[in-house]
């Protein structure tokens, strides 16, 4: 099975501009491709996972990834799929986030011996001369055509600023720059980026030659991928300080039954043949086995095999009713916050990160969803003594051990 066939079999490809040429390049390991990442936080999150795994998969087949950090485009914001303009960031914050991204990406991508590179579009966008940009690039874009794209239609009613209107031109210029400097002949992105990527392809072909070897391709469900990792506590991060390996494991362990095979195909390196065999017999307890495999494989990829083993062992013991594993995620509470060694149940639920607010904690208690040391809690006014190991649980799958300092 060729690399291109596997990408299709795993459900990763949605739209392609030059399928035959793309297939030949990818299979021969001659694609130099880029995927962009906007540094809007100091950690990558689950929404980036599909792109990272795809880059790793293609690199393993001999192709060369270019990680494009949007240090320049992050200064204005992307209207694609959004109804509001992105908050502007300072250059210092952007640089800090870029440095964090580089460190995390090294877990997925081999940057040694020029096998992959990281570039920042601030290096060329920040130095552009506006008049030259208008003459050399702006002349190749039709305003009517730009406004026909859905990403701009969504913003028209509320008001589309000229700042945002330039985003397509800037992203297109990125592809031109990468094509000329690094021989980048392919770009990948989510289906919400299709219009911007087409702009880049057209710019190269019009500005350089009609035969310029530049193509675009989108990743199926990457827009959905961006929505992944959203929980009631916020995003699921790849940084262990933000989302512990155990919580990361549990996030994937708890995916919906309908999504587990799709996630295994798109995000893991388990053989497609093995996944398809699992799919044939997927029912009942088989879903749980598949979810554990998914959680283990992705935790191993992000946090290493040791952390993945600890998270799996901890989860198994907790679900088995032991509830005392040393690897259980913990929450430290300052003794100064206690009243005679106790804390209100609802406050404790929020402190443990099992609910985002007191009102949500109250709802969970009323619905019988909170257990403290195996005792189901029914009174939201209860005070919980914290004079020893206290394990608080939400439902069947979310546990926290409370430690008083």
């Amino acid at each position: 099975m060729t690399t291109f066939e596997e990408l299709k079999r795993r459900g990763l490809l949605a739209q392609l501009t030059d399928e035959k040429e793309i297939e030949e390049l990818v299979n021969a390991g001659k694609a130099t491709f880029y995927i962009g990442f906007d540094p809007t936080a100091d950690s990558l999150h689950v929404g980036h996972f599909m792109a990272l795994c795809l880059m790793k998969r293609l690199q393993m087949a001999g192709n060369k990834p270019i990680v494009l950090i949007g240090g320049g485009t992050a200064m204005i914001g992307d209207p694609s799929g959004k109804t509001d303009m992105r908050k502007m960031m300072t250059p210092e914050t952007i640089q800090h986030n870029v440095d964090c991204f580089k460190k995390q990406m090294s877990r997925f991508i081999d940057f040694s011996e020029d096998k992959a590179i990281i570039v920042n579009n601030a290096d060329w966008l920040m130095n552009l001369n506006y008049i030259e940009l208008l003459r050399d690039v702006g002349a190749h874009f039709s305003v009517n055509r730009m406004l026909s794209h859905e990403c701009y239609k969504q913003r028209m009613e509320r008001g589309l600023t000229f700042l945002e209107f330039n985003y397509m031109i800037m992203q297109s210029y990125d592809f031109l720059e990468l094509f000329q400097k690094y021989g980048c002949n392919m770009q990948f992105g989510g289906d919400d980026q299709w219009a911007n990527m087409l702009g880049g392809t057209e710019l190269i072909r019009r500005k350089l030659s009609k035969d310029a070897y530049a193509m675009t391709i989108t990743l199926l469900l990457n827009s959905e991928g961006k929505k992944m990792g959203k929980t009631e506590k916020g995003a699921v991060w790849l940084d262990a300080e933000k989302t512990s390996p155990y919580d990361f494991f549990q996030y994937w362990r708890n995916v919906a039954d309908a999504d587990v095979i799709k996630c295994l195909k798109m995000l893991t390196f388990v053989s497609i043949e093995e996944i398809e065999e699992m799919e044939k017999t997927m029912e009942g307890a088989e879903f749980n086995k598949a979810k554990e495999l998914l959680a283990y494989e992705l935790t191993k990829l992000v946090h290493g095999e040791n952390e993945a083993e600890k998270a799996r062992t901890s989860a198994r013991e907790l679900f088995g009713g032991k509830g005392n594993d040393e690897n259980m995620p913990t929450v430290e509470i300052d003794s100064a916050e206690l009243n005679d060694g106790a804390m209100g149940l609802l406050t404790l639920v929020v402190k443990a990160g099992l609910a985002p607010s007191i009102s949500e904690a109250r709802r969970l208690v009323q619905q019988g969803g909170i257990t403290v040391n195996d005792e189901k809690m029914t009174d939201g006014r209860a005070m919980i003594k914290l004079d020893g190991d206290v394990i608080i649980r939400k439902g069947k799958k979310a546990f926290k051990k409370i430690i008083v300092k």
Side-chain angles (χ1 to χ4, degrees), residues 142-350:
S142 163
V143 172
N144 289 344
R145 186 173 180 182
M146 291 173 72
L147 290 176
S148 69
H149 292 299
E150 192 63 32
C151 60
Y152 288 110
K153 284 181 179 179
Q154 294 176 6
R155 292 281 289 124
M156 285 297 289
E157 291 185 6
R158 295 193 180 190
L160 179 67
T161 69
F162 185 70
L163 190 69
E164 297 167 278
F165 195 64
N166 276 269
Y167 194 91
M168 182 185 288
I169 295 176
M170 296 174 73
Q171 184 168 331
S172 298
Y173 190 84
D174 283 343
F175 195 19
L176 174 64
E177 192 77 8
L178 293 172
F179 179 83
Q180 292 178 308
K181 283 190 174 181
Y182 305 104
C184 181
N185 52 24
M186 201 176 297
Q187 56 180 330
F188 289 75
D191 50 14
D192 61 334
Q193 293 293 319
W194 183 243
N196 291 340
M197 293 193 297
L198 287 178
T201 299
E202 289 301 312
L203 177 61
I204 291 174
R205 288 175 174 168
R206 291 183 182 184
K207 186 171 175 58
L208 300 181
S209 77
K210 292 182 179 179
D211 298 323
Y213 213 126
M215 293 161 275
T216 60
I217 178 173
T218 66
L219 305 184
L220 178 64
L221 298 177
N222 197 36
S223 295
E224 180 177 312
K226 291 179 180 179
K227 300 173 186 175
M228 285 183 180
K230 296 295 184 181
T231 71
E232 60 190 19
K233 295 189 290 181
V236 175
W237 303 98
L238 306 193
D239 185 340
E241 295 297 317
K242 293 177 176 288
T243 299
S244 71
Y246 177 85
D247 285 337
F248 186 85
F249 181 96
Q250 285 299 97
Y251 170 75
W252 295 108
R253 176 64 179 76
N254 295 332
V255 298
D257 289 354
D259 293 333
V260 62
I261 291 295
K262 177 175 64 179
C263 289
L264 279 168
K265 287 180 178 179
M266 291 182 170
L267 304 179
T268 76
F269 292 83
V270 177
S271 73
I272 187 63
E273 292 81 8
E274 181 179 344
I275 297 171
E276 288 173 345
E277 281 300 313
M278 293 171 59
E279 190 174 14
K280 293 177 183 177
T281 59
M282 193 58 62
E283 61 180 32
E286 296 302 316
F287 279 109
N288 287 331
K289 291 180 181 178
K291 290 178 184 182
E292 185 181 82
L293 176 63
L294 173 68
Y296 179 82
E297 289 296 324
L298 296 186
T299 305
K300 181 173 68 173
L301 184 60
V302 174
H303 298 293
E305 187 171 4
N306 185 48
E307 291 294 338
E309 290 285 356
K310 287 176 12 181
R312 181 169 63 182
T313 299
S314 180
R316 285 177 175 175
E317 294 196 6
L318 288 169
F319 295 147
K322 296 181 181 180
N324 59 357
D325 188 78
E326 64 179 6
N327 297 317
M328 186 187 302
T330 62
V331 173
E332 294 185 356
I333 293 180
D334 193 325
S335 59
E337 299 181 69
L338 305 183
N339 183 7
D340 289 333
M343 175 174 281
L345 173 62
L346 302 183
T347 301
L348 186 60
V349 171
V350 174

Side-chain angles (χ1 to χ4, degrees), residues 90-119:
T90 66
E92 293 77 17
T93 299
I94 291 173
Q95 186 57 52
H96 171 71
N97 294 348
V98 167
D99 293 339
C100 293
F101 276 23
K102 287 180 180 178
K103 183 178 179 181
Q104 291 182 339
M105 287 178 176
S106 295
R107 303 173 190 167
F108 296 82
I109 303 166
D110 181 4
F111 290 100
S112 67
E113 301 176 352
D114 202 38
K115 294 176 183 175
I117 59 174
I118 297 179
V119 295

